[in-house]
Amino acid sequence: MLNQGLTYMASSKTKAVNAKPSDSGEDFPPFPHKHLLGISQLNQYDIINLLDRAQSMAPISRQPRKTLPTLSGKTQINLFFENSTRTQASFEIAGKRLGALVLNMSVKTSSVSKGETLIDTATNLNAMQPDVIVVRHGSAGAVELLSQKVGCSVINAGDGTHEHPTQALLDALTIRRHKNRLAGLTVAICGDIANSRVARSNLLLLGALNVRTRVIAPQTLLPAGIEKLCTEVYTNMEEGLAGADVVMMLRLQRERAGEIMTPSIREYYRFYGLDAQKFAHAKPDAIVMHPGPMNRGVEIDPAIADGPASVITDQVEMGVAVRMAVLDALIDNGEQSHE
C-alpha cells in the first residue's frame, strides 16, 4: 500500500515518521494484521507501530538476563525451505528471548524431501496448533498460500524475489537510530536490484515514510517497471551516490541472475563495487549498510565494510529487536481477537 503511505500531508507525515517511542510505558496500538506477508500490506502507521515496538525491544539484548515471559506457553515454528543463517538464527533468538517454545524444521530431512506438497505441510503443521509459523521459501507467493491453510499467524522470512519485510523493518530501524529521523533522507540502494526481495521491501517501506530512494545497477540488473516504486534510477554509481545519506549495498546473486545478466566479477566491482573513491560522492556522514551475506571484493571493499561508516553489525542486532516486535505484535493481536 505504497500510495496510501504517500497520501498523508507532509507535516503530519514527518511528525509520525520521526516520532520516537514513548518512554511512559504506555501500550502500543494493537497491530491490525494477523500475518506479516509483506510491506505492501502495511500503511505508514502500521510501520511506525512496529518500529516503535522494536525500539523498545532493542535494550533487552544488552541486558544480563535477556528473556521475557511475553510469549511463555506459545509455540513458534521456523520453516525454512531455503538455506539461511542470519535470518533463521535471528527469529530463533527473538522467539526464545520472548519465552516462546521454538522449533526449527529442517526441510531437507522433513517429509517435503519425500514429495509432500506445501499445502500438505501446512495442514500437518496446523494440526499441531502452533501460534506462529515463520516461513522462507524460494517461490514468490508461497508464504501467502501457506497462510491461507493455517489458523495461526504467519511471518514471511523471504519468498523468492518478492518480499522480505522484516529485513526492511530492521534496515529502517537502523537508519532511524543512526540518523534520528527517516523523512527527508536520501537512501541509495546499489547492486542486484532485479533479484532482490530486500530491495523491493525497502523501496515500499522507505517510500511510505517519505524517504527519497534511488536504485543503482547495470541495466541488466534493473527489473522492468522499477519506476513504479517511486524511486530514482541510475546506472552510474558516482551519480547515484551523490549526496546520499545512506548507501545500502546488495549481494550480487549470480545463482539467480545467471552469467548472461552479469559482467565478470572484476568488471562488476570496477563499476558497481563500493570503494573509497565511489563512497566519497555520498555525504560525509553517510552510513553503509548490507543485508548480508557480503561478497567482499565483489560489491563492497572490505575496508568500507569494516570501516567507521559501516552499520552492518548494527543491522544484525536490530534484526533480533524487529523480529521480537513482530512476534509480539502478531501473537498479541491473535489473543485479542479471541477475547
Side-chain angles (χ1 to χ4, degrees):
M1 297 186 181
L2 178 58
N3 291 334
Q4 183 175 356
L6 294 173
T7 57
Y8 294 100
M9 295 182 64
S11 59
S12 61
K13 178 188 290 185
T14 302
K15 181 178 179 181
V17 168
N18 294 327
K20 300 294 175 59
S22 172
D23 293 324
S24 63
E26 296 180 2
D27 291 335
F28 294 102
F31 189 66
H33 304 281
K34 180 179 180 179
H35 310 295
L36 180 61
L37 303 178
I39 297 300
S40 59
Q41 79 182 86
L42 307 179
N43 64 33
Q44 183 191 50
Y45 296 106
D46 295 335
I47 295 169
I48 297 301
N49 183 349
L50 291 176
L51 291 180
D52 287 351
R53 287 173 181 261
Q55 177 73 22
S56 72
M57 295 287 187
I60 296 171
S61 293
R62 299 201 173 191
Q63 294 176 357
R65 294 183 179 274
K66 298 178 174 64
T67 56
L68 298 175
T70 310
L71 302 186
S72 178
K74 303 297 182 181
T75 301
Q76 170 188 335
I77 297 177
N78 294 334
L79 180 62
F80 279 59
F81 292 86
E82 290 185 323
N83 292 332
S84 172
T85 302
R86 285 160 305 281
T87 303
Q88 183 169 340
S90 184
F91 269 111
E92 180 178 2
I93 291 171
K96 288 181 175 178
R97 286 188 178 165
L98 291 174
L101 173 64
V102 181
L103 171 65
N104 291 317
M105 280 194 60
S106 174
V107 172
K108 290 182 179 179
T109 59
S110 73
S111 296
V112 174
S113 65
K114 302 174 184 177
E116 183 175 84
T117 67
L118 178 64
I119 294 177
D120 286 336
T121 299
T123 302
N124 289 327
L125 291 179
N126 191 54
M128 300 176 192
Q129 303 298 319
D131 297 284
V132 61
I133 303 177
V134 181
V135 186
R136 169 169 285 188
H137 199 283
S139 299
V143 180
E144 182 176 6
L145 175 63
L146 189 144
S147 73
Q148 298 168 1
K149 306 299 179 181
V150 299
C152 65
S153 293
V154 173
I155 300 173
N156 183 359
D159 61 331
T161 59
H162 179 228
E163 280 221 47
H164 193 350
T166 58
Q167 181 67 48
L169 287 163
L170 73 90
D171 289 341
L173 181 61
T174 303
I175 294 170
R176 192 174 76 167
R177 285 169 64 93
H178 281 272
K179 295 295 184 181
N180 295 312
R181 64 189 177 102
L182 284 166
L185 294 176
T186 298
V187 176
I189 305 176
C190 318
D192 189 353
I193 308 297
N195 297 293
S196 176
R197 54 195 173 208
V198 173
R200 176 176 170 78
S201 289
N202 265 296
L203 290 171
L204 289 168
L205 186 150
L206 296 173
L209 299 187
N210 200 29
V211 176
R212 180 183 180 185
T213 59
R214 302 171 180 170
V215 294
I216 310 168
Q219 195 67 46
T220 54
L221 292 178
L222 289 170
I226 183 65
E227 298 83 0
K228 295 179 182 178
L229 291 176
C230 302
T231 188
E232 302 168 22
V233 180
Y234 291 85
T235 56
N236 180 281
M237 190 79 163
E238 288 80 0
E239 292 177 3
L241 292 181
D245 298 286
V246 178
V247 180
M248 185 182 300
M249 302 305 300
L250 300 175
R251 180 175 69 90
L252 179 59
Q253 300 185 51
R254 295 179 70 87
E255 72 279 8
R256 286 196 172 108
E259 298 293 333
I260 297 176
M261 297 181 68
T262 58
S264 69
I265 296 297
R266 178 178 294 182
E267 285 296 298
Y268 185 84
Y269 181 73
R270 176 186 174 190
F271 290 105
Y272 295 100
L274 186 65
D275 54 22
Q277 182 178 357
K278 298 185 189 76
F279 187 48
H281 290 268
K283 287 185 178 178
D285 63 344
I287 58 175
V288 176
M289 308 178 73
H290 196 303
M294 281 190 293
N295 291 319
R296 293 171 179 262
V298 178
E299 70 262 6
I300 190 167
D301 186 329
I304 298 293
D306 300 327
S310 173
V311 298
I312 295 171
T313 56
D314 292 351
Q315 289 175 266
V316 177
E317 181 179 357
M318 290 307 105
V320 175
V322 160
R323 285 150 186 150
M324 289 172 69
V326 170
L327 288 166
D328 179 44
L330 291 179
I331 293 181
D332 181 55
N333 179 30
E335 289 180 340
Q336 291 185 16
S337 66
H338 287 94
E339 289 179 355

